[in-house]
Amino acid sequence: MATATSSANYFQISPEVFAGPTATGTAPFLAETNPAPLGSSFVPNAPLETAIPVSGNVNDTSIFTLMGNLSPYFPNPSGFGVDEYPLPMGSNISLVNMLSRHGSRYPTSNSSQMKLGASLKNATTMGAIFSGPLAFLNTWTYKLGAEILVPKGRQELFDSGILHYYQYAQLYNYNATIVVRTTTEDRMLKSAENFLAGFVGLEWETNPLVKLEPVIETNGFNNSLAGYYNCNNSNLAVSAGGSNASILWENIYLANATARFNSMSKGFNWTVSQVYAAQGLCPYETVAFGYSSFCELFTFQEWEGFEYSIDLSFAGGYGFQSPTGRAVGIGYVQEVLGRLQGHLITTANTQDNITVDGMNQTFPLNQTLYFDFSHDTNIASILTAFGLTQFDQFLPTTGPPANQQMIVSHMEPFGARLDIEIIDAPHPVSAFRSNQTNAYVPNGAPTKYIHFLLNQRTIPLGVSYPPCGIRTDGWCELNTFLNAAQGLLAAADYDYSCNGNYAAVPYGSVTNGAPQPTATS
């Protein structure tokens, strides 16, 4: 396995190295391009124009909460099945491990949106004419950049830094070094920098005690924050079940939209995949320019379908329906367990970079705040690697199931964050407490708990870890959790999952985030 660069400067942030593509797009001019400022009863997602009338939206719900991993950040509106509880009097939070996604960005390089832009430009050049709601395409051109943060993305991470400061500032030791980890990719580095500007202040860059560690993100280097680079099978057909499932659903929910688009187009024949790319231009243009004419081309039901298409993609690509779902995220799980148990990572049995994880300088174990930055798909696999089977529900390609648990916009919007809290209680906390007066089990010994919050809502650990028990607060006793987590590495089956020679199977055949067991004689 490859490891980190031989350079001793593990904290270099300028000039950037291994930054990836950094193409910027046209600057926004919302004051000029916005056709209907605050033109409906939607609450604007400032500074973006999201007050867009959408056919079929009888409950006045913002479509920007139905865009899966392309949704601008919003807290999970419905939770994960438990209510939020305050700390009982006398308890305190002693450690927080945050894992954050980067902020809103341009599309990735060579995206379907970029390709659609080129196709539409070629069509209009050759004389294609669009009418009705598509008439704007007669003069529209693709103006988006690639890969890097847009201004909204910077704001999301700055706001997250401020929020985390308000939540956890008393855990921050101004007189001790804090190591913050991200990757060398430009949007990852800028996300961490904006977060630190919110949490510490703009002076963080000149504070020698604040060290930002960009772990190399490119092929050939181990990196738990981009675990797919050293999981070869995650990039091959054996892990394409989610994409295949999404395409099946797209052909169902976009059938009417495709016919509608073609009825307004002369000289250009829309395919379902091109209509899907056009739907994706709505969130991308909105976060880049403040407004997009593509948003109101689709009905509310088609936006619900868009969300579900991404849910399918994640379930089959990075979740429990993927043979590499656990393996891509297991390296980061090992790092969290190392922090909680107080040991460095020195064994090369996952994509962990044991060069940096094997040194206290770059993988400290004495912090009360740990801040890491990663990608949406990687975080989804980390949740899978943690064995959070609450999200293992099979998602059919014909439409959403009842009581759907894995909803990507609730889990991995831009700026998503997983906060893992360690809570010290003077006595055991009652599993069914309802208020401060009945919070504790009388006469019990001091007890530590672990608490998972994803986008500001509790993930009830007892649902996925039966030894934790069912609790109204969703917590788990720390020792119970650590004992249950001992089997996570074996469950991921990292080497076989990432490098083994096994056949692709139909979507839905894999159910546990790892390859199907090999038949034995």
Side-chain angles (χ1 to χ4, degrees):
M1 294 183 179
T3 54
T5 176
S6 59
S7 169
N9 188 3
Y10 296 109
F11 305 106
Q12 177 178 323
I13 60 174
S14 182
E16 295 182 34
V17 294
F18 299 100
T22 57
T24 192
T26 300
F29 201 177
L30 187 59
E32 182 173 285
T33 60
N34 189 357
L38 309 184
S40 78
S41 57
F42 292 146
V43 176
N45 188 12
L48 311 180
E49 175 59 272
T50 59
I52 297 166
V54 173
S55 175
N57 188 2
V58 295
N59 294 320
D60 202 31
T61 302
S62 173
I63 60 172
F64 291 89
T65 63
L66 297 171
M67 295 179 177
N69 61 323
L70 302 184
S71 292
Y73 181 76
F74 66 104
N76 181 334
S78 55
F80 296 108
V82 291
D83 294 327
E84 306 304 321
Y85 283 80
L87 286 183
M89 293 180 63
S91 294
N92 63 279
I93 299 170
S94 58
L95 183 148
V96 171
N97 187 108
M98 182 204 76
L99 177 65
S100 173
R101 186 189 178 195
H102 58 75
S104 294
R105 58 163 173 79
Y106 289 121
T108 53
S109 301
N110 203 33
S111 66
S112 60
Q113 286 75 30
M114 184 182 295
K115 294 175 182 176
L116 175 62
S119 296
L120 289 172
K121 180 179 180 181
N122 182 63
T124 54
T125 300
M126 298 298 292
I129 298 175
F130 300 94
S131 59
L134 294 186
F136 74 94
L137 293 177
N138 293 317
T139 56
W140 175 87
T141 57
Y142 185 85
K143 298 177 181 178
L144 294 169
E147 308 272 358
I148 62 176
L149 294 183
V150 295
K152 178 63 176 175
R154 299 198 299 268
Q155 181 192 23
E156 287 164 333
L157 270 294
F158 181 77
D159 287 348
S160 178
I162 291 175
L163 174 64
H164 280 81
Y165 183 82
Y166 276 105
Q167 291 285 85
Y168 304 118
Q170 291 195 24
L171 294 176
Y172 180 46
N173 185 347
Y174 288 84
N175 298 312
T177 296
I178 181 171
V179 173
V180 176
R181 301 190 311 161
T182 186
T183 83
T184 55
E185 195 171 61
D186 184 82
R187 67 177 178 270
M188 298 303 308
L189 187 61
K190 297 297 194 300
S191 290
E193 290 174 339
N194 280 279
F195 177 92
L196 287 171
F199 189 90
V200 179
L202 293 175
E203 65 275 12
W204 77 266
E205 287 192 76
T206 58
N207 185 339
L209 297 179
V210 180
K211 296 186 179 296
L212 181 55
E213 178 186 349
V215 185
I216 294 174
E217 180 178 350
T218 194
N219 283 319
F221 288 84
N222 282 332
N223 187 342
S224 66
L225 303 175
Y228 36 79
Y229 272 117
N230 268 321
C231 187
N232 189 51
N233 284 336
S234 71
N235 303 302
L236 299 178
V238 293
S239 294
S243 298
N244 297 336
S246 181
I247 290 171
L248 291 174
W249 171 242
E250 290 159 29
N251 278 278
I252 294 173
Y253 91 87
L254 285 176
N256 290 339
T258 303
R260 194 166 67 244
F261 275 41
N262 278 318
S263 72
M264 297 181 286
S265 305
K266 181 179 180 181
F268 187 82
N269 185 44
W270 292 86
T271 64
V272 171
S273 63
Q274 287 173 323
V275 174
Y276 189 64
Q279 197 168 17
L281 277 166
C282 164
Y284 279 127
E285 285 196 339
T286 299
V287 297
F289 306 135
Y291 169 80
S292 174
S293 297
F294 286 92
C295 298
E296 55 196 288
L297 298 179
F298 299 89
T299 67
F300 186 76
Q301 290 70 33
E302 288 161 353
W303 282 115
E304 291 179 315
F306 184 76
E307 168 68 50
Y308 190 63
S309 74
I310 297 173
D311 300 341
L312 284 166
S313 177
F314 270 62
Y318 323 106
F320 286 92
Q321 279 74 55
S322 168
T324 55
R326 287 180 182 258
V328 168
I330 191 61
Y332 187 79
V333 171
Q334 293 294 99
E335 290 176 333
V336 171
L337 296 177
R339 287 167 171 170
L340 297 180
Q341 296 170 323
H343 64 80
L344 298 171
I345 309 298
T346 57
T347 303
N349 55 6
T350 69
Q351 63 275 86
D352 285 333
N353 188 320
I354 60 172
T355 300
V356 293
D357 283 5
M359 299 187 296
N360 284 303
Q361 174 193 5
T362 47
F363 192 75
L365 300 172
N366 60 348
Q367 295 181 185
T368 51
L369 288 171
Y370 294 98
F371 298 139
D372 299 319
F373 297 85
S374 184
H375 298 272
D376 52 350
T377 58
N378 203 66
I379 297 174
S381 284
I382 288 167
L383 297 173
T384 306
F386 264 121
L388 297 177
T389 54
Q390 175 172 352
F391 306 114
D392 71 357
Q393 177 187 26
F394 173 69
L395 303 183
T397 59
T398 53
N403 194 30
Q404 182 182 338
Q405 296 295 304
M406 186 176 184
I407 301 173
V408 175
S409 62
H410 294 182
M411 301 170 70
E412 303 300 334
F414 286 123
R417 69 290 306 253
L418 172 67
D419 292 307
I420 301 174
E421 299 176 344
I422 302 301
I423 299 167
D424 296 339
H427 307 287
V429 177
S430 173
F432 300 101
R433 61 188 170 112
S434 58
N435 53 54
Q436 292 283 17
T437 60
N438 67 354
Y440 291 114
V441 176
N443 304 318
T447 307
K448 285 183 177 288
Y449 293 89
I450 187 167
H451 179 206
F452 277 48
L453 292 131
L454 181 60
N455 301 327
Q456 302 171 247
R457 299 303 294 266
T458 295
I459 298 176
L461 292 174
V463 174
S464 302
Y465 291 84
C468 295
I470 299 301
R471 300 179 54 95
T472 55
D473 55 21
W475 301 0
C476 183
E477 290 190 16
L478 179 59
N479 286 336
T480 301
F481 174 83
L482 292 175
N483 287 334
Q486 290 180 1
L488 294 179
L489 180 61
D493 199 5
Y494 173 78
D495 190 48
Y496 182 66
S497 174
C498 291
N499 305 305
N501 182 16
Y502 52 88
V505 295
Y507 168 75
S509 301
V510 175
T511 60
N512 193 35
Q516 292 178 307
T518 304
T520 57
S521 56

